[in-house]
Amino acid sequence: MGERVPAIHVGVITTRGRLIAAFAVLMAFGWWITAQPPFSTAGTVGILLVGGALIALARHWRRRGAAPTAPDEPEATEGLWVWVVILLAILVWELITFVSHPREMHPTISSITDTLEAEHVVRWLLFGGWLAIGWSLAA
Amino acid sequence: MSSRQITFVVWGALAACVVAAVALSLTTRKVPTLGAAITVLVRRRYVQVACLAAWLWAGWHFFVRSSR
């Protein structure tokens, strides 16, 4: 029964395994990055390195044909306006609060998350979310 | 109602919209999932490059500017 598994599955699992390993390395590096002092050169270089590595990884993943193809079916584009409107509304409200003062009266996304980011573990978990967003943009 | 309260109410409403859109995308086929929406939006090369640049900046903003 075991021999019914096609050989191509082994290849996909191996690629996924490598991808998971690469993410684990980036997350481990992220622990160090999120421990750096504010506005540090090491932190800035670290973010650029991780960002560059993730984009390169995504390109490699796409070139190998492992990434899912862009959805062409009508339902993928039909309700797209809902997301466009929500994302634009978030962007516009962020800009409005950003130019409004004082900050305590007009909190932006980052001033709200600053409280959460006081904890290193939370900052590191948010770093994981940032990687996931980057992957969905680049892959 | 103070400006602070209004700001939080709008942020809350926007968060509720995101949750509602995610719920709609998972329960009906009328709204694409966020992942599918991003895939469609970044099909154009310049949009993808702009989004990745914004993503890199966001990484610096959230993890370098506010790192301890």
Side-chain angles (χ1 to χ4, degrees):
Chain A
M1 280 222 252
E3 57 268 18
R4 285 175 64 191
V5 178
I8 192 164
H9 282 195
V10 177
V12 170
I13 289 166
T14 306
T15 310
R16 278 206 184 134
R18 282 179 188 161
L19 190 67
I20 290 166
F23 264 94
V25 169
L26 292 180
M27 282 301 288
F29 191 41
W31 180 263
W32 176 79
I33 292 172
T34 51
Q36 297 305 303
F39 296 101
S40 69
T41 308
T44 303
V45 172
I47 283 290
L48 288 174
L49 280 176
V50 168
L54 188 104
I55 291 168
L57 196 65
R59 287 182 76 118
H60 177 69
W61 174 261
R62 201 171 44 207
R63 213 175 298 129
R64 283 183 64 122
T69 52
D72 282 323
E73 59 270 19
E75 61 263 26
T77 50
E78 239 173 40
L80 191 66
W81 65 269
V82 174
W83 283 115
V84 172
V85 168
I86 290 173
L87 294 175
L88 279 177
I90 291 172
L91 186 68
V92 167
W93 188 243
E94 172 73 0
L95 287 173
I96 290 171
T97 53
F98 180 71
V99 297
S100 306
H101 295 284
R103 183 59 61 236
E104 314 86 69
M105 297 302 278
H106 304 276
T108 57
I109 293 174
S110 46
S111 65
I112 293 168
T113 57
D114 269 352
T115 321
L116 295 170
E117 287 198 90
E119 288 293 328
H120 185 200
V121 174
V122 177
R123 220 161 45 240
W124 182 64
L125 291 173
L126 289 171
F127 179 85
W130 177 73
L131 281 184
I133 291 170
W135 180 261
S136 65
L137 290 172
Chain B
M1 211 177 199
S2 70
S3 302
R4 184 177 168 83
Q5 286 170 324
I6 292 169
T7 307
F8 273 114
V9 166
V10 175
W11 278 130
L14 288 170
C17 286
V18 171
V19 171
V22 168
L24 268 177
S25 70
L26 294 175
T27 53
T28 71
R29 294 177 74 94
K30 288 178 180 168
V31 177
T33 61
L34 183 56
I38 289 174
T39 306
V40 173
L41 289 173
V42 298
R43 261 188 207 156
R44 288 192 172 89
R45 190 78 177 148
Y46 67 91
V47 176
Q48 188 184 34
V49 170
C51 286
L52 284 172
W55 169 75
L56 272 176
W57 175 83
W60 178 85
H61 182 70
F62 284 102
F63 307 115
V64 178
R65 182 195 63 89
S66 59
S67 285
R68 301 287 181 276

